[in-house]
Amino acid sequence: MKQTIIITGGAGFIGSHVVRLFVIKYPDYSIVNLDDLTYAGNLENLRDIESSPNYVFEKVNILDQAGLKRVFAQYNPTGVIHLAAESHVDRSIHSPLDFVYTNVIGTVNLLNAAKEAWQGQYRGKRFYHVSTDEVYGALGETGFFTEETRYDPHSPYSASKASSDHFVRAYGDTYGLPQVISNCSNNYGPNHFPEKLIPLFINNIIQKKPLPVYGDGLYTRDWLFVKDHATAIDLVYHKGENHSTYNIGGFNEWKNIDLVKLLCSLMDKKLNNAPGTSDQLITYIKDRPGHDRRYAIDASKINKELGWKPSVSFEEGLQLTIDWYFDNQEWLKHVTSGEYLKYYETQYQS
Ligand code: NAD
Ligand code: DAU
C-alpha cells in the first residue's frame, strides 16, 4: 500500500538512517522528515537523498501544536515514526526541563495531532514510538531486559522517555490509537553526534585530547550498529503488532573500558601510531550521577516474531564507523564548533 509517513527527528543520528532507508527502499511512499534542527539535527546527514522526489523536509518543533496541525493537514499521513527527542543523558542532568518539554509534551502534542487528523479512522494507520532500553533502569551482573521488565528510570532523560512511552500506550488504551513501541540499546555508527561515548572518543583521539572515562569504567552497554536499528524499525513499522512492544539489541555487551581499549587499538592502526599510543589518553574522571551499571537487551521476541537479527559484527561496525569519521572530517568540524565547545567545557571541566 502506498503510504505517507511523517518521520520526526529525521535529521538526527538514527532518524537520518531511517529516513534514508525508507526513501530508497520505498520509492512509492512519501517521506516527510519533521525536525526542528536542534544542535543534534543536521541536514548534512541527508545530502545524498534530499532531492529524491519522495522526500520532503519540514522544519517544525514538536512543541508547536499549530505547526503539527498544519503538517498533518497538508500531508494526510498514514503513519508516524517518532524519533525526535533530546537524547543525551549528560545534558538531561544539566537541563531536565528541556527533556520534559520535548520528550514528554512534544510526544503528547504529536499523539494529539495524529488522533485529531485520523478522527478514529484508524484502518491502515500507525503511530510508532521509538524508545530506549534506559526506561528499564539498571541490571546487575546477570539477566536481560525483556518486554515485561518493570520500568525503573534513573536519569531525567530515561524518566522523560518512560513517561512518553506511557503516554503512547495510554493513547492506545484510551482512544484506540494504533500504536507500537520499540526499546533499543545503545546505537553507534556514522553521523553519531560527538557528545556520545564512541564518536566523542574517536574525535578526541584525532585531536589528541584526553578520553574521559566516567567512574571505574566498568559500566556495561549493549551496542548495536545504527543501520541494524533502522532495519528493525522498518520491520516493526510494517509487520509489528499494534499495541505491542519490541526490544531491539545487539547481544553485544561491552564494559566501557574494554570498548575504549578496542577503539584505541583500531584508531592506532588507522593513524599508523605505535600500539598503545591512544591508551595513554585514557583519563578516569568523576562518575555520571545516577549512572546505570549495566544494560542488556533480550531481543528474542523481535527475532522470533519478525525474523530480525543484527547483521553487522561489532568489530566490523566499529571499523566502518572509524572510516566514516575519517572520510567526513568536515562534518565533524561543523558539528564541533560553536555551542559544542561551550557544552564540552561545562561537561568536562575538572
Ligand atoms: P539525536 O539527538 O541524534 O537526534 C534527535 C533529533 O530530534 C535531532 O534531529 C533534533 O533536531 C530533533 N529534535 C529534538 N528536539 C526536537 C523538537 N522539539 N522538535 C522537533 N525536532 C526535535 O537522537 P538519536 O540518538 O538519533 O535518537 C533518536 C531517538 O531514538 C530518540 O527518541 C532516542 O531516545 C531513541 N534512542 C536512541 C538510542 C541511541 O543510542 N542513540 C538508542 C535507543 C533509542
Ligand atoms: O541505551 C540506549 C541509550 O544509549 C539511548 O537511549 C541514549 O539516547 C544514548 O545517548 C545512549 O545513552 P548512554 O548514556 O548509554 O550513552 P553515552 O554514549 O552517553 O554513554 C555510554 C557509556 O559511556 C555510559 O556508561 C557513560 C560512559 N561515558 C560516556 C561519555 C559521554 C563515559 O565514560 N565518558 C563519556 O565522556
Side-chain angles (χ1 to χ4, degrees), residues 12-14 35-36 38 41 61-62 83 87 102 131 157 161 187:
F13 167 47
I14 302 171
D35 195 301
D36 197 38
T38 67
N61 192 315
I62 56 172
L83 296 109
S87 69
T102 287
S131 192
Y157 164 68
K161 291 296 289 188
N187 285 215

Side-chain angles (χ1 to χ4, degrees), residues 260-294:
V260 169
K261 287 189 172 161
L262 171 62
L263 191 61
C264 285
S265 75
L266 293 171
M267 288 294 287
D268 282 340
K269 279 193 199 127
K270 185 84 185 171
L271 290 160
N272 292 320
N273 285 338
T277 306
S278 300
D279 281 24
Q280 289 166 23
L281 297 171
I282 294 173
T283 312
Y284 288 92
I285 66 165
K286 82 172 175 335
D287 212 346
R288 171 188 278 176
H291 201 169
D292 288 328
R293 193 62 167 168
R294 174 172 166 258

Side-chain angles (χ1 to χ4, degrees), residues 207-330:
Q207 309 286 328
K208 300 190 175 60
K209 280 165 67 173
L211 306 178
V213 173
Y214 296 156
D216 62 7
L218 299 177
Y219 293 84
T220 300
R221 297 290 182 267
D222 167 8
W223 293 92
L224 179 68
F225 192 58
V226 63
K227 292 187 189 192
D228 278 328
H229 189 188
T231 61
I233 288 174
D234 178 18
L235 268 178
V236 171
Y237 179 78
H238 286 99
K239 306 233 165 77
E241 227 182 280
N242 276 336
H243 311 289
S244 280
T245 298
Y246 295 87
N247 279 357
I248 305 171
F251 285 112
N252 178 41
E253 286 182 51
W254 284 79
K255 288 198 168 42
N256 290 341
I257 191 62
D258 296 336
L259 187 162
V260 169
K261 287 189 172 161
L262 171 62
L263 191 61
C264 285
S265 75
L266 293 171
M267 288 294 287
D268 282 340
K269 279 193 199 127
K270 185 84 185 171
L271 290 160
N272 292 320
N273 285 338
T277 306
S278 300
D279 281 24
Q280 289 166 23
L281 297 171
I282 294 173
T283 312
Y284 288 92
I285 66 165
K286 82 172 175 335
D287 212 346
R288 171 188 278 176
H291 201 169
D292 288 328
R293 193 62 167 168
R294 174 172 166 258
Y295 301 147
I297 279 277
D298 176 351
S300 51
K301 177 179 173 187
I302 188 171
N303 175 255
K304 281 196 200 105
E305 290 187 13
L306 307 182
W308 176 88
K309 62 176 181 351
S311 68
V312 179
S313 75
F314 194 46
E315 297 225 351
E316 192 188 341
L318 263 190
Q319 192 59 57
L320 285 169
T321 305
I322 290 170
D323 292 346
W324 187 87
Y325 281 93
F326 273 78
D327 293 344
N328 291 275
Q329 304 244 0
E330 276 305 303

Side-chain angles (χ1 to χ4, degrees), residues 65-251:
Q65 296 176 2
L68 290 179
K69 193 171 176 179
R70 196 258 309 151
V71 171
F72 274 75
Q74 184 170 337
Y75 296 99
N76 195 16
T78 44
V80 174
I81 304 180
H82 176 36
L83 296 109
E86 288 293 340
S87 69
H88 191 38
V89 173
D90 292 325
R91 287 185 192 254
S92 82
I93 295 165
H94 295 300
S95 317
L97 261 183
D98 291 346
F99 287 67
V100 176
Y101 287 130
T102 287
N103 298 359
V104 185
I105 299 173
T107 299
V108 176
N109 282 339
L110 201 61
L111 287 162
N112 280 335
K115 176 169 91 61
E116 279 154 30
W118 292 339
Q119 295 278 322
Q121 304 297 305
Y122 290 144
R123 244 178 92 94
K125 307 289 199 311
R126 169 155 281 192
F127 189 104
Y128 178 5
H129 178 60
V130 175
S131 192
T132 170
D133 61 357
E134 299 206 7
V135 298
Y136 298 124
L139 291 163
E141 289 292 307
T142 57
F144 293 91
F145 297 134
T146 73
E147 287 79 2
E148 275 72 50
T149 302
R150 197 174 74 86
Y151 275 30
D152 185 21
H154 296 130
S155 72
Y157 164 68
S158 54
S160 70
K161 291 296 289 188
S163 172
S164 64
D165 291 10
H166 291 320
F167 272 105
V168 173
R169 292 195 182 98
Y171 271 60
D173 294 342
T174 307
Y175 308 110
L177 191 84
Q179 55 81 14
V180 64
I181 299 178
S182 59
N183 297 82
C184 188
S185 63
N186 286 61
N187 285 215
Y188 70 98
N191 310 94
H192 204 182
F193 194 81
E195 63 188 353
K196 311 278 169 69
L197 182 75
I198 291 179
L200 175 76
F201 280 28
I202 291 175
N203 188 38
N204 282 15
I205 292 171
I206 295 173
Q207 309 286 328
K208 300 190 175 60
K209 280 165 67 173
L211 306 178
V213 173
Y214 296 156
D216 62 7
L218 299 177
Y219 293 84
T220 300
R221 297 290 182 267
D222 167 8
W223 293 92
L224 179 68
F225 192 58
V226 63
K227 292 187 189 192
D228 278 328
H229 189 188
T231 61
I233 288 174
D234 178 18
L235 268 178
V236 171
Y237 179 78
H238 286 99
K239 306 233 165 77
E241 227 182 280
N242 276 336
H243 311 289
S244 280
T245 298
Y246 295 87
N247 279 357
I248 305 171
F251 285 112

